[in-house]
């Protein structure tokens, strides 16, 4: 059975630039958005659009079993796959620039259901030779729109 509804979410990213074991700089991003939540028996998907000075980026996040896939298109393009304890590789495009990206998923905490919830992913990323530690958190805010 498929269920689709519009919900309000908050998307937060905490990004630390790492050199060795030292955090050399940090940035935080937070945005409140409207998303489409689609739930079937085996998967949960969130689709939303973010805008900034560089343009619009459409995101499709899919949770299937222990795997989470985040596909972005528009101003930023990437397809990141997160599976706890595993390395994955991708291409990260920002405007006319492309970078190889490697991701190691440290921890996934997911309690998103058809009524909303919270999803948190902690991962290490090397993109364009720069090492980063990232925590992405998506939280539903209230009920359906």
């Amino acid at each position: 059975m498929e269920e689709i509804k519009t919900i309000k979410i908050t998307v937060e990213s905490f990004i630390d630039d790492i050199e060795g074991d030292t955090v050399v700089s940090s940035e935080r991003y937070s945005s409140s958005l409207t998303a489409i939540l689609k739930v079937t028996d085996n998967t949960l998907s969130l689709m939303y659009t973010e805008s900034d000075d560089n343009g619009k980026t459409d995101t499709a996040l899919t949770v299937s079993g222990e795997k989470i896939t985040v596909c972005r298109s528009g101003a930023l393009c990437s397809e990141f796959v997160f599976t706890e304890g595993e390395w994955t590789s991708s291409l990260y495009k920002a405007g006319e620039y492309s970078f190889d990206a490697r991701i190691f998923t440290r921890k996934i905490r997911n309690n998103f259901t058809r009524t909303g919830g919270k999803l948190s992913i902690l991962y290490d990323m090397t993109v364009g030779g720069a090492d980063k530690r990232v925590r992405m958190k998506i939280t539903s805010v209230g009920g359906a729109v």
Side-chain angles (χ1 to χ4, degrees):
M1 180 173 147
E2 183 176 272
E3 184 178 338
I4 300 173
K5 63 182 166 183
T6 303
I7 63 170
K8 291 283 190 185
I9 61 171
T10 299
V11 178
E12 296 176 282
S13 293
F14 305 89
I15 304 166
D16 293 331
D17 290 320
I18 307 288
E19 287 183 9
D21 290 331
T22 305
V23 175
V24 293
S25 67
S26 297
E27 62 182 281
R28 179 179 187 263
Y29 166 82
S30 181
S31 186
S32 295
L33 305 163
T34 300
I36 302 297
L37 172 65
K38 180 179 171 183
V39 180
T40 64
D41 290 338
N42 300 322
T43 63
L44 179 141
S45 299
L46 281 172
M47 289 145 297
Y48 56 90
T49 301
E50 298 172 277
S51 295
D52 63 17
D53 294 340
N54 298 315
K56 289 185 178 181
T57 300
D58 295 319
T59 300
L61 181 148
T62 304
V63 179
S64 180
E66 301 297 314
K67 179 173 83 170
I68 297 172
T69 305
V70 179
C71 294
R72 290 189 171 108
S73 61
L76 295 174
C77 296
S78 63
E79 182 174 342
F80 292 160
V81 177
F82 302 95
T83 303
E84 202 167 295
E86 293 186 14
W87 284 97
T88 58
S89 296
S90 183
L91 189 63
Y92 181 84
K93 295 181 184 179
E96 53 191 65
Y97 302 101
S98 295
F99 306 95
D100 289 328
R102 282 188 35 92
I103 296 167
F104 178 76
T105 307
R106 291 182 170 276
K107 192 180 290 187
I108 296 172
R109 295 294 174 258
N110 177 28
N111 71 1
F112 235 95
T113 66
R114 57 185 19 91
T115 60
K118 184 170 147 181
L119 169 69
S120 180
I121 305 171
L122 176 64
Y123 60 98
D124 294 340
M125 178 170 69
T126 301
V127 61
D131 294 328
K132 301 176 182 297
R133 175 146 308 137
V134 182
R135 183 169 55 117
M136 180 176 73
K137 186 167 68 168
I138 299 174
T139 309
S140 65
V141 182
V145 175

